Amino acid sequence: MKAWVLKRLGGPLELVDLPEPEAEEGEVVLRVEAVGLNFADHLMRLGAYLTRLHPPFIPGMEVVGVVEGRRYAALVPQGGLAERVAVPKGALLPLPEGLSPEEAAAFPVSFLTAYLALKRAQARPGEKVLVQAAAGALGTAAVQVARAMGLRVLAAASRPEKLALPLALGAEEAVTYAEVPERAKAWGGLDLVLEVRGKEVEESLGLLAHGGRLVYIGAAEGEVAPIPPLRLMRRNLAVLGFWLTPLLREAALVEEALGFLLPRLGRELRPVVGPVFPFAEAEAAFRALLDRGHTGKVVVRL
């Protein structure tokens, strides 16, 4: 089979021929149809992710494929950018009818992250949440999930031309980052911030009302400086870290999330697909991942 292999950290991908994987006990082999790319995949290639893989390895953690005539999504530690991948049966995520492979590839990471991050922050109906990077893969999912949970959504993006998308998905208001402090003040302060930028977390704390919570999901713009505890004490603020990977081992938690998401998927929740690249152009897909101009999920299609 063909697969894209990273042979050294920070190096290029190489398209190579490999033996097809064999399913071990408790596994199935998926015929891969599409792969959703995430910023975590880029960090893995650099050796900068929370878990470090040692080359050679096949990048790609979010895959969609067919086994026994049925389409599933799956999250795997690595191996997605290949024609076949062995997956534990317990990692298979059922998909509703009507989703394209591209839409299915835009579902697992973004929607599970959005739902579980909001649950970890104990989000309640009627609360006000800031969704950063609201036109991106996670942002578009978070806008929709927050609305489905009964939250009021203030969406933020880097460019004015990106604001129409989160508004169409249900955000109450959408503004550029420069406008966020003024709008948050007009809203009477925010209850929740989903932090994916990282570097401006001090500014994000200033947006919160008394008792507000910031969920630290990512640091796309660089790591944050230390947060002074007294800053949190004065207004009873909370900062929560969030990492999806270890939570996937908590079966009850995943079951709860899927119980909320799957009945709504393809109806009030619709994955937003961005640039789609053929398998032969995997490197171009990674370049698009780092281009702040795109919206939705970057997908590689086999």
Side-chain angles (χ1 to χ4, degrees), residues 131 133-144 147 153 155-157 159-175 270-275 292-297:
V131 175
L138 175 57
T140 52
V143 168
Q144 296 178 75
R147 288 292 297 121
V153 178
R159 305 179 187 185
E161 58 267 26
K162 292 184 174 183
L163 302 181
L165 178 54
L167 285 173
L169 296 174
E172 188 170 327
E173 191 173 356
V175 297
R270 196 89 198 188
V272 177
V273 178
R292 300 293 172 87
H294 81 272
T295 59
K297 173 76 76 170

Side-chain angles (χ1 to χ4, degrees), residues 2-301:
K2 298 286 186 183
W4 286 100
V5 174
L6 186 78
K7 295 185 177 179
R8 62 179 176 83
L9 294 177
L13 295 177
E14 296 183 31
L15 187 60
V16 301
D17 287 301
L18 294 176
E20 293 206 1
E22 295 184 7
E24 298 183 1
E25 186 175 353
E27 291 184 332
V28 295
V29 174
L30 275 183
R31 176 176 58 80
V32 179
E33 293 183 311
V35 181
L37 291 190
N38 299 279
F39 194 68
D41 295 307
H42 165 68
L43 294 177
M44 282 183 182
R45 290 184 61 178
L46 300 178
Y49 192 53
L50 292 169
T51 53
R52 183 165 178 164
L53 297 178
H54 299 283
F57 64 87
I58 301 169
M61 65 173 67
E62 189 173 27
V63 299
V64 170
V66 174
V67 59
E68 296 179 355
R70 185 172 176 187
R71 178 176 294 143
Y72 294 91
L75 297 177
V76 293
Q78 57 91 27
L81 283 171
E83 292 177 329
R84 302 281 191 280
V85 60
V87 176
K89 290 179 181 178
L92 294 176
L93 302 176
L95 296 166
E97 296 288 336
L99 280 191
S100 69
E102 293 86 351
E103 288 175 318
F107 161 62
V109 168
S110 296
F111 282 82
L112 285 170
T113 295
Y115 178 82
L116 292 173
L118 288 168
K119 288 294 288 186
R120 177 163 171 72
Q122 298 181 335
R124 297 180 292 273
E127 288 194 311
K128 298 165 286 187
V129 58
L130 173 68
V131 175
Q132 298 177 347
L138 175 57
T140 52
V143 168
Q144 296 178 75
V145 172
R147 288 292 297 121
M149 294 174 73
L151 278 68
R152 298 175 59 194
V153 178
L154 175 61
S158 58
R159 305 179 187 185
E161 58 267 26
K162 292 184 174 183
L163 302 181
L165 178 54
L167 285 173
L169 296 174
E172 188 170 327
E173 191 173 356
V175 297
T176 61
Y177 291 131
E179 300 170 291
V180 167
E182 177 187 341
R183 299 316 302 155
K185 184 177 180 181
W187 279 38
L190 303 169
D191 302 296
L192 296 157
V193 171
L194 299 183
E195 180 70 41
V196 299
R197 300 175 70 194
K199 208 160 76 171
E200 306 298 334
V201 72
E202 286 258 22
E203 178 185 300
S204 295
L205 288 174
L207 307 174
L208 291 170
H210 184 89
R213 293 90 74 202
L214 182 147
V215 188
Y216 198 89
I217 300 174
E221 296 179 1
E223 285 196 41
V224 65
I227 300 168
L230 288 177
R231 180 86 186 272
L232 307 180
M233 291 174 62
R234 287 190 182 98
R235 288 184 292 129
N236 285 300
L237 305 180
V239 177
L240 308 169
F242 182 88
W243 183 25
L244 178 63
T245 299
L247 298 182
L248 296 174
R249 295 192 287 268
E250 299 186 28
L253 200 60
V254 175
E255 186 177 343
E256 176 197 337
L258 293 177
F260 180 90
L261 296 170
L262 288 177
R264 295 171 169 85
L265 191 59
R267 303 144 82 102
E268 62 181 301
L269 302 178
R270 196 89 198 188
V272 177
V273 178
V276 178
F277 293 84
F279 185 64
E281 298 178 16
E283 279 287 19
F286 271 98
R287 289 194 294 272
L289 183 67
L290 302 180
D291 176 8
R292 300 293 172 87
H294 81 272
T295 59
K297 173 76 76 170
V298 177
V299 174
V300 175
R301 184 71 161 92

